[in-house]
Amino acid sequence: MGAPGWTERNPIMSRFHSRGVFLTLCLAPAVLSSLHPECEYIFQLERDELRCLQYIAEQANASQTGCQPFWDAVVCWPRAGVGETVHRRCPAVFSLFRNNTGSVSRNCTSDGWSRLLPPYHVACSVDDDVPQTEQRYFTTVKLIYTVGYSVSLVVLALAVCVLLLFRRLRCARNFIHIQLFITFMLKAAAVFVRDAALFSGDDTDHCSLSTLACKASVVFCHYCVMANFFWLLVEALYLNSLLLSSFYRRRRCLWGFSLLGWGVPVFFIILWIGSRVYFEDSECWDIIEDSPYWWIIKGPIVVSIAVNFMLFVNIVRILIQKLNPRLIQFNNSCQYRRLTKSTLLLIPLFGTHYMFFSFLPDYFGVSLRFCLELCVGSFQGLLVAVLYCFLNQEVQNEVHMSWLRWQERNYGVVSPAAKGSQMDTPL
């Protein structure tokens, strides 16, 4: 009598795949295990299957009476006589989802093995509805951040073109803006590359996926994210320098800013690659949970966020002092008020919301972290481009003047505004 057809859904694999995005995006002197705990459970399940198949092969020449041994994708059922009830405890893999595990049983009847009693999701405390809910949640999150990064990528590219096209807009301040825009564009592109490498199909095995392309996509993604945080720090440093009137108009400082924004992340990324190659060269380097080497990347980012936050507090303090009606001069009052408005608008975009999560464990507030870092964060580049470029009065004036000059060349129409602004100079 043969084994029944496998009609019960395997709750382990479906639950594992529904949690795949958790494993990829989660932000000990002894060397930890080279495998993620959930991957160890999956590999243990595969080892159990292999042992079961070997047992079945050994029993092939035994008596054909009763119920034959078989593997039901979770538990190995031994040979049994008609009328015998076989009990099996839930495998250890289910403790990943619940601490309490029970047992399941099958009856050997004259028609073969009976159906599982009770089902795995009941006996082993695995809720079948949770994976579907999680899958819908992850699908929605992925849709939102895909739209956000796509729109941001287009708007940022347009903003970079605008700042590069007009010669009068080429200054140190806009040079830093352009670098920041580029990091947001690279960050968006890196997310798409990573998704293509890691989530190309629903059947992708994240525990065994370990290709050079997949590792390169993860490294590229980490570098782009790190460079983005450091150029946000550069923006804060430059804004402080303007308010303090220190190294203003000194172009040599741009080399230092460029080294900080692009070079420092390269240094830490190389250190992290070396640590992964020699100590944790497992999977696709996308699983960073409980890894001490992850702090090679996370540590500098946390420091940059903290320094950025302190710089913005200092900016607000300086602006409050400079906007004191008794100390301010009429000539620069408009400039300071405009700078204050821009600064206050940009504070939420410069990582202040990261301050809360940066000093908490990676597993804390995962759902809220996903919404902020993926959904809201995907539109961050769009907001920065709008505030830094398209709502900038200087950019608007230059675009307007170019439009008037184009009308003059093609139709011979000279606007009084164009004549009156011939002597205007950018800030």
Side-chain angles (χ1 to χ4, degrees), residues 29-47:
V31 178
L32 301 179
S33 173
S34 61
L35 291 177
H36 188 276
E38 296 189 16
C39 288
E40 289 182 343
Y41 285 126
I42 299 302
F43 289 148
Q44 180 60 45
L45 199 65
E46 293 177 353
R47 289 192 290 267

Side-chain angles (χ1 to χ4, degrees), residues 83-152:
E84 183 180 356
T85 300
V86 179
H87 298 272
R88 282 287 182 268
R89 294 190 58 81
C90 293
V93 65
F94 285 106
S95 62
L96 173 65
F97 314 118
R98 294 291 189 274
N99 292 328
N100 57 321
T101 58
S103 61
V104 293
S105 63
R106 292 182 188 270
N107 295 324
C108 180
T109 67
S110 57
D111 295 327
W113 287 104
S114 67
R115 295 184 62 84
L116 190 69
L117 292 175
Y120 282 120
H121 70 276
V122 175
C124 304
S125 301
V126 178
D127 191 353
D128 271 359
D129 294 333
V130 173
Q132 297 177 2
T133 304
E134 289 181 350
Q135 188 64 38
R136 287 195 296 269
Y137 172 73
F138 293 140
T139 301
T140 303
V141 168
K142 185 176 182 181
L143 176 62
I144 293 175
Y145 79 68
T146 299
V147 173
Y149 281 124
S150 300
V151 175
S152 296

Side-chain angles (χ1 to χ4, degrees), residues 43 83 97 117 133 193 238 278 346-347 372 402-403:
F43 289 148
F97 314 118
L117 292 175
T133 304
V193 171
Y238 185 74
Y278 287 102
L346 288 172
I347 284 177
L372 286 177
S402 297
W403 169 252

Side-chain angles (χ1 to χ4, degrees), residues 377-412:
S378 64
F379 291 94
Q380 186 178 3
L382 169 65
L383 295 177
V384 168
V386 170
L387 290 173
Y388 267 124
C389 181
F390 299 110
L391 293 183
N392 184 281
Q393 190 66 41
E394 179 186 349
V395 175
Q396 292 178 351
N397 290 339
E398 188 62 27
V399 172
H400 179 64
M401 290 304 305
S402 297
W403 169 252
L404 294 179
R405 286 192 292 267
W406 180 85
Q407 285 185 319
E408 178 183 355
R409 287 194 304 266
N410 290 273
Y411 302 104

